[in-house]
Amino acid sequence: MLRSLRCDDLPAAPTDGWLNEFVADSRRRFTSLLSYDFSKFPCALALGLLSDEAAGSNPASNEEEKQITLHRSATGEISSAELAMILTPYDAKRLKSYAKNMVDYHMIVDLIPSLARLYFLQRLPQMTLSYLQRAILVSLGLQHQSVDVIQQELNVPSNQLLALFNKAVRKFLNQIEQLMEKQLEEETTNSKKLAQVAAQSQAMNPTKTTLDEEMREGAQEEKAKQQQQLLDSLNLMKYAVRGDDADWDAALNQSESGGIVQVKSKKQNKVKKESKDSKKDQKHNKRSADGDSDRKKSKKSKKSKYANLS
């Protein structure tokens, strides 16, 4: 186990968190080298070197600094975008088929190294495996050993080893599906945002008509409004054709032999009637006035007659 020394008083003291970064980088390199000469190591030894207790870290170190160090050394929690670069949806389907015992483990042999690196580099920190499951994962995924070799080393029947490995694959599949669902949600959110941005950009497109065309259209509309106002202010009833349907039918019947069609104006008839009535009234008033004058004259004559007698 490695522990960092307190060297604050040294002039060239290393920065805080150097041990976590060193351990993470060593683990990453060791997982890659296990498929070469280190493949001769017993799986128990390889697993011991990859365990947290053997690798060691300062328990008093800051957790936030540790997470930053893990991300810098590519050993932190994997994101959905990174997972998409390692495993495709077709790979997930193969894992799902094996988890349901629909295919043999040989169908996913090419995926076991990727799964082993994800686990031992702590890219899936929420996932836990038993000791035997980790030993199987180291032998199959990192050391590229066969099931027979693992059976001899661990002294466990092959059917039991494969059953434990199947349970481990189910745990991997659960974590992978969660990350893929998260990625799908992010893509859906991004697509909605892109749609909103596209709608806003379309709304900001330049107009199809130019400024001169808009000004001409506005002038034409204003001219039409002024003409309509002028027509509304005029008394057009004086230009209306006089007579109703009955008058026109009568006039057309009278002019069947040819000639000019004339329709008598009701207004003229009304004026004539009013003039006749006024003349009658004048005559009546004149007659009444003449009668009054005659009566006055007769009275005067009578008075003068009686005056002479007296």
Side-chain angles (χ1 to χ4, degrees):
M1 180 179 291
L2 297 177
R3 292 186 182 275
S4 60
L5 298 175
R6 295 184 60 184
C7 50
D8 299 337
D9 54 344
L10 296 178
T15 58
D16 295 335
W18 69 270
L19 182 58
N20 292 328
E21 190 172 351
F22 174 77
V23 170
D25 184 68
S26 299
R27 182 185 290 112
R28 182 177 56 82
R29 295 179 60 194
F30 185 67
T31 54
S32 300
L33 294 174
L34 275 175
S35 59
Y36 295 95
D37 291 339
F38 291 164
S39 62
K40 299 176 183 179
F41 287 179
C43 63
L45 177 60
L47 184 61
L49 293 174
L50 288 173
S51 63
D52 292 336
E53 292 80 9
S57 62
N58 189 359
S61 61
N62 190 357
E63 185 66 24
E64 184 177 358
E65 294 179 356
K66 184 177 179 181
Q67 292 297 328
I68 294 174
T69 302
L70 292 176
H71 282 289
R72 287 175 58 187
S73 58
T75 56
E77 184 176 2
I78 192 171
S79 62
S80 56
E82 290 180 279
L83 182 65
M85 299 176 65
I86 298 173
L87 296 175
T88 64
Y90 300 104
D91 296 335
K93 287 183 179 180
R94 282 192 290 157
L95 290 174
K96 191 172 184 178
S97 299
Y98 176 73
K100 292 182 178 181
N101 296 321
M102 297 175 64
V103 295
D104 190 61
Y105 84 97
H106 293 94
M107 290 292 296
I108 62 168
V109 168
D110 59 313
L111 301 177
I112 298 175
S114 299
L115 298 178
R117 289 181 63 85
L118 288 176
Y119 179 79
F120 288 108
L121 294 180
Q122 299 179 357
R123 308 308 305 271
L124 301 173
Q126 298 179 356
M127 183 177 172
T128 57
L129 296 175
S130 64
Y131 179 82
L132 285 176
Q133 287 175 334
R134 284 182 289 168
I136 296 170
L137 195 61
V138 167
S139 298
L140 289 178
L142 299 180
Q143 293 182 310
H144 300 174
Q145 301 288 355
S146 63
V147 177
D148 297 333
V149 175
I150 302 172
Q151 179 183 358
Q152 293 176 1
E153 288 187 9
L154 299 178
N155 196 17
V156 178
S158 60
N159 56 354
Q160 188 175 354
L161 291 175
L162 293 176
L164 291 172
F165 179 68
N166 187 278
K167 291 181 180 179
V169 170
R170 292 179 185 177
K171 292 182 180 180
F172 275 110
L173 183 62
N174 187 21
Q175 295 290 323
I176 291 170
E177 287 180 345
Q178 290 180 3
L179 290 172
M180 287 185 172
E181 289 176 359
K182 185 178 179 181
Q183 182 185 10
L184 183 61
E185 291 178 358
E186 292 177 355
E187 291 178 354
T188 304
T189 304
N190 293 333
S191 62
K192 290 181 180 179
K193 291 181 180 179
L194 290 175
Q196 292 177 357
V197 172
Q200 292 177 358
S201 62
Q202 289 179 359
M204 295 175 64
N205 285 337
T207 57
K208 296 181 180 180
T209 58
T210 62
L211 181 60
D212 295 337
E213 292 176 351
E214 290 182 356
M215 292 179 67
R216 284 196 294 270
E217 290 178 359
Q220 291 176 359
E221 292 178 358
E222 187 64 25
K223 186 177 180 180
K225 288 181 181 179
Q226 292 178 358
Q227 291 177 353
Q228 186 63 35
Q229 291 177 359
L230 180 61
L231 292 174
D232 294 339
S233 63
L234 295 176
N235 185 14
L236 299 179
M237 291 303 298
K238 62 182 180 180
Y239 302 107
V241 179
R242 297 180 177 85
D244 53 8
D245 294 339
D247 296 336
W248 278 98
D249 291 338
L252 291 173
N253 292 329
Q254 292 176 1
S255 64
E256 289 180 354
S257 60
I260 300 173
V261 177
Q262 293 182 353
V263 178
K264 295 182 179 180
S265 174
K266 292 183 178 180
K267 186 175 181 181
Q268 293 178 357
N269 295 333
K270 185 177 180 181
V271 171
K272 290 180 180 180
K273 185 177 180 181
E274 290 178 353
S275 62
K276 288 180 180 179
D277 293 339
S278 62
K279 288 180 180 179
K280 289 181 180 180
D281 293 338
Q282 289 177 1
K283 288 180 180 180
H284 180 71
N285 293 332
K286 186 176 181 181
R287 288 176 182 176
S288 60
D290 294 340
D292 292 338
S293 61
D294 293 339
R295 284 194 294 272
K296 288 180 180 180
K297 288 180 180 180
S298 61
K299 286 181 180 180
K300 287 181 179 180
S301 61
K302 287 181 180 181
K303 287 182 180 180
S304 61
K305 183 178 180 181
Y306 291 130
N308 294 327
L309 291 176
S310 61

